[in-house]
């Protein structure tokens, strides 16, 4: 049986948390460059140029892309034939976050929800673990800002509200969030499952490449339709008006109860920070 030391996991999570906060993925940079050329509004084009400049400075000077270094969310796919030695799995993930936020000089943004006392080390991270076939370990580490999380919503729709109800809620949610979620945004949708599952589906949808589309052609078409509709809202980069409010709409779908139509809308700001590690 293959085995790995949890120290390896700690180190991988630490590096991922730092890298995610210092460097955007190529697909985001390409979208910014495209926006700087194609956005109709002059102010919007300038915002895209500033986003590119901000990303360049953060990468070259090894400093965070944004002052809000986010709450760490980790999606782990743990192979059932992999043996972990030297410690506890979840403790290792938390330790990796702790070390990453300390060594990377990343802002510690977590606090007790009632006393507002800062936890001091940006833990606990939110961890979702799936046991999967094989002997590998995939970790997706996302550092999610509070502003765009605050503009996110969850609805338990009536089944009769259907697709029209879903579209209406998505547009109303993005419109209400406006500039507060630091557009251009990515809109992650979880459709189906149950109350808690649709939120996880929406969050995970945000980890997809901007350039991909859903393998189901009907869902892919809905992604495109909603992207056009969101951009027609005219909120624009930084909320200053323009054609590009969203860079992508990403949907995850799962069967739900016949009495329900759960919909989660998780908004990701332009500081879309995540890293994938395979161990
Ligand atoms: S919403 Fe995103 S870009 Fe805006 S302050 Fe928060 S992390 Fe930064």
């Amino acid at each position: 049986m293959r085995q790995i030391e949890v120290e390896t996991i700690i180190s991988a999570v630490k590096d991922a948390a730092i890298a995610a906060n210092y460097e955007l993925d190529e697909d985001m940079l390409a979208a910014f460059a495209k926006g700087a050329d194609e956005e109709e509004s002059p102010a919007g084009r300038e915002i895209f140029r500033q986003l590119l400049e901000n990303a360049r400075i953060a990468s070259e000077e090894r400093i965070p892309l944004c002052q809000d270094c986010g709450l760490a969310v980790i999606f782990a796919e743990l192979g059932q034939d992999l043996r972990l030695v030297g410690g506890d799995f979840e403790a290792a993930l938390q330790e990796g976050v702790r070390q990453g936020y300390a060594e990377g000089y990343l802002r510690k943004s977590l606090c007790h929800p009632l006393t507002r006392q800062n936890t001091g080390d940006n833990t606990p991270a939110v961890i979702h673990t799936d046991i999967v076939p094989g002997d590998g370990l995939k970790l997706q580490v996302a550092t999610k800002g509070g502003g765009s999380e605050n503009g996110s919503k969850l609805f338990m729709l009536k089944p009769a509200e259907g697709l029209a109800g879903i579209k209406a809620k998505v547009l109303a949610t993005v419109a209400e969030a406006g500039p507060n979620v630091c557009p251009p945004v990515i809109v992650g949708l979880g459709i189906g499952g149950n109350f808690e599952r649709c939120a996880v589906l929406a969050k995970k949808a945000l980890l997809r490449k901007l350039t991909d589309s859903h393998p189901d052609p009907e869902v892919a078409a809905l992604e495109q339709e909603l992207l056009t509709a969101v951009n027609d809202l005219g909120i624009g980069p930084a909320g200053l008006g323009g054609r590009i409010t969203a860079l992508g709409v990403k949907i995850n779908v799962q069967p739900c109860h016949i009495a329900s139509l759960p919909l989660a809308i998780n908004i990701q700001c332009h500081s879309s920070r995540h890293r994938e590690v395979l161990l």
Side-chain angles (χ1 to χ4, degrees):
M1 185 182 240
R2 181 171 177 251
Q3 64 180 42
I4 56 174
E5 296 277 344
V6 295
E7 275 301 323
T8 308
I9 297 171
I10 294 172
S11 173
V13 171
K14 177 185 77 172
D15 291 347
I18 295 173
N21 266 289
Y22 288 1
E23 289 171 28
L24 286 177
D25 278 351
E26 282 301 320
D27 59 341
M28 288 298 293
L29 296 175
F32 290 171
K34 193 162 178 272
D37 283 340
E38 296 182 359
E39 169 57 55
E40 286 174 11
S41 127
R45 287 198 298 278
E46 177 57 25
I47 293 296
F48 277 116
R49 283 192 285 272
Q50 289 187 14
L51 290 176
L52 282 168
E53 176 69 353
N54 182 65
R56 183 191 65 74
I57 293 169
S59 172
E60 288 180 7
E61 299 187 14
R62 314 309 292 164
I63 54 176
L65 286 148
C66 181
Q67 42 76 31
D68 180 353
C69 299
L71 182 157
V73 181
I74 302 177
F75 287 94
E77 291 181 18
L78 177 62
Q80 64 187 22
D81 297 324
L82 179 65
R83 184 161 174 261
L84 306 176
V85 293
D88 175 79
F89 178 56
E90 288 218 5
L93 298 177
Q94 300 291 0
E95 181 59 22
V97 170
R98 190 174 291 114
Q99 290 187 12
Y101 275 73
E103 290 187 28
Y105 298 102
L106 306 176
R107 193 185 81 181
K108 286 79 181 169
S109 305
L110 265 67
C111 67
H112 187 285
L114 300 179
T115 65
R116 312 308 293 181
Q117 171 90 29
N118 197 295
T119 66
D121 59 7
N122 221 57
T123 69
V126 173
I127 297 169
H128 306 284
T129 303
D130 289 324
I131 306 297
V132 299
D135 62 2
L137 172 61
K138 180 163 117 177
L139 299 172
Q140 291 174 292
V141 180
T143 57
K144 184 72 167 63
S148 57
E149 200 73 351
N150 287 349
S152 303
K153 289 193 174 174
L154 192 152
F155 301 93
M156 296 304 287
L157 300 176
K158 295 181 181 68
E161 293 180 83
L163 201 46
I166 290 171
K167 292 174 188 173
K169 291 298 187 200
V170 171
L171 293 182
T173 299
V174 176
E176 185 183 332
N180 297 337
V181 289
C182 296
V185 298
I186 304 164
V187 183
L189 302 183
I191 304 175
N194 63 357
F195 182 79
E196 78 273 14
R197 183 64 188 160
C198 72
V200 177
L201 290 173
K203 177 79 68 192
K204 203 163 185 183
L206 294 173
L207 302 182
R208 283 170 42 198
K209 286 273 174 211
L210 273 182
T211 45
D212 79 359
S213 56
H214 197 281
D216 179 334
E218 273 187 42
V219 179
L222 181 59
E223 290 179 344
Q224 277 310 309
E225 182 186 340
L226 283 172
L227 177 59
T228 301
V230 164
N231 283 332
D232 283 345
L233 291 171
I235 296 165
L240 297 175
R243 293 295 305 163
I244 306 175
T245 300
L247 302 173
V249 174
K250 304 293 177 185
I251 302 176
N252 274 330
V253 175
Q254 182 172 316
C256 60
H257 192 285
I258 54 172
S260 304
L261 178 51
L263 167 68
I265 304 166
N266 198 190
I267 300 180
Q268 170 64 60
C269 61
H270 57 65
S271 206
S272 174
R273 297 156 294 183
H274 47 91
R275 280 290 178 282
E276 182 175 306
V277 184
L278 298 173
L279 296 173

